[in-house]
């Protein structure tokens, strides 16, 4: 839902800014690299110290680069395989930094082994969820499923939870518990999404092989 509606809204809002950068000679790849660097810095500098509010502010400012670079490429008519590859790869880096920052906090000053493990699970499951779609498409399957918690949902839930949890340092009582709740939501939702995609790929694979008149060849044949 967020990918469909929120992305379209912010794309329209950010179009003038993308046009401004183009006039200044900035390339889409430069925006992608700067955006990722900003997200990584915000996550790994602020989150391990428990500064969730300011870390989220910094990350949010840079995370919109994911929309700006694509908008610029479309305006320039330069959409390319390289741009798509770079954007997708650096998205994984940014996601890893965010959940890695949470894990570092809970492994250190946060002193909560369970939430550290949940943060690591969110990091790993997010990477695997993305991989399942990419791998399915690479073997010729559409992977036609709208997962419960995809990247946009993971980011919104985790960043909103972290940002509000950070208000605890400004004297808002009890609000720090929003981050653990958000991480559990992302963890469970990512697991469900992973199962949805695996089931979809299994079904699409069987349908494709039936249409070709041959039985499934097992996991080794897909490697």
């Amino acid at each position: 839902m967020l990918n469909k509606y929120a992305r379209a809204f912010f794309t329209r809002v950010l179009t003038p800014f993308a046009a401004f950068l183009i006039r200044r000679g900035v390339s889409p790849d430069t925006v992608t690299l700067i955006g990722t660097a900003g997200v990584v810095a915000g996550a790994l500098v602020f989150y391990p110290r428990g500064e969730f509010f300011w870390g989220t502010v910094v990350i949010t400012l840079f995370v919109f680069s994911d929309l700006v670079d694509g908008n610029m490429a479309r305006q320039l008519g330069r959409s390319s395989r390289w741009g798509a590859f770079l954007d997708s790869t650096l998205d994984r880096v940014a996601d890893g930094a965010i959940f890695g920052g949470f894990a570092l906090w809970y492994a250190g000053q946060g002193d909560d082994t369970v939430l550290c493990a949940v943060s690591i699970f969110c990091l790993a499951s997010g990477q695997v969820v993305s991989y399942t779609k990419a791998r399915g498409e690479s073997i010729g399957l559409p992977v036609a499923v709208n997962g419960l918690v995809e990247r946009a949902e993971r980011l919104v839930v985790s960043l909103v939870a972290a940002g509000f949890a950070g208000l605890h340092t400004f004297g808002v009582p009890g609000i720090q518990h929003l981050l653990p709740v958000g991480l559990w939501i992302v963890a469970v939702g990512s697991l469900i999404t992973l199962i949805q995609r695996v089931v979809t790929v299994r079904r699409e694979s069987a349908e494709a092989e039936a249409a070709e008149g041959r039985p499934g060849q097992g996991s080794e044949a897909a490697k």
Side-chain angles (χ1 to χ4, degrees):
M1 181 177 67
L2 287 173
N3 274 325
K4 182 178 180 180
Y5 297 108
R7 179 176 287 269
F9 169 76
F10 283 110
T11 295
R12 289 194 298 271
V13 171
L14 294 171
T15 293
F17 180 61
F20 170 79
L21 293 178
I22 290 172
R23 290 195 297 272
R24 293 296 181 274
V26 180
S27 72
D29 287 352
T30 299
V31 172
T32 303
L33 291 168
I34 292 174
T36 302
V39 171
V40 170
L44 297 183
V45 170
F46 291 96
Y47 283 175
R49 298 188 296 182
E51 298 179 9
F52 296 117
F53 178 79
W54 293 114
T56 301
V57 169
V58 172
I59 291 170
T60 301
L61 290 174
F62 284 100
V63 81
F64 283 105
S65 65
D66 188 47
L67 299 177
V68 174
D69 56 7
N71 193 310
M72 292 173 65
R74 286 189 294 274
Q75 290 189 45
L76 290 168
R78 296 180 185 173
S79 297
S80 65
R81 292 182 177 87
W82 161 249
F85 169 81
L86 180 66
D87 189 57
S88 180
T89 299
L90 293 184
D91 282 350
R92 307 287 84 74
V93 173
D95 293 357
I98 291 171
F99 291 105
F102 294 144
L104 288 171
W105 162 250
Y106 286 117
Q109 297 179 52
D111 193 24
D112 193 314
T113 304
V114 172
L115 288 175
C116 177
V118 172
S119 300
I120 294 172
F121 179 82
C122 289
L123 191 163
S125 61
Q127 307 293 326
V128 177
V129 164
S130 297
Y131 173 79
T132 55
K133 185 174 181 63
R135 180 58 174 153
E137 291 175 342
S138 74
I139 58 176
L141 301 175
V143 196
V145 58
N146 293 319
L148 179 64
V149 176
E150 298 187 344
R151 184 173 188 258
E153 287 80 11
R154 290 197 303 272
L155 286 179
V156 169
V157 172
S158 59
L159 293 179
V160 168
F164 278 107
L167 294 177
H168 178 69
T169 60
F170 296 93
V172 180
I175 201 165
Q176 72 273 17
H177 300 300
L178 281 178
L179 181 55
V181 171
L183 289 173
W184 276 108
I185 290 172
V186 171
V188 174
S190 296
L191 178 61
I192 293 172
T193 303
L194 177 59
I195 294 171
Q196 287 177 306
R197 289 192 173 178
V198 170
V199 170
T200 298
V201 169
R202 174 61 179 167
R203 174 179 53 79
E204 291 177 348
S205 176
E207 291 173 352
E209 289 167 349
E212 295 169 0
R214 60 189 180 88
Q217 297 179 3
S219 60
E220 291 300 319
K223 294 182 179 179

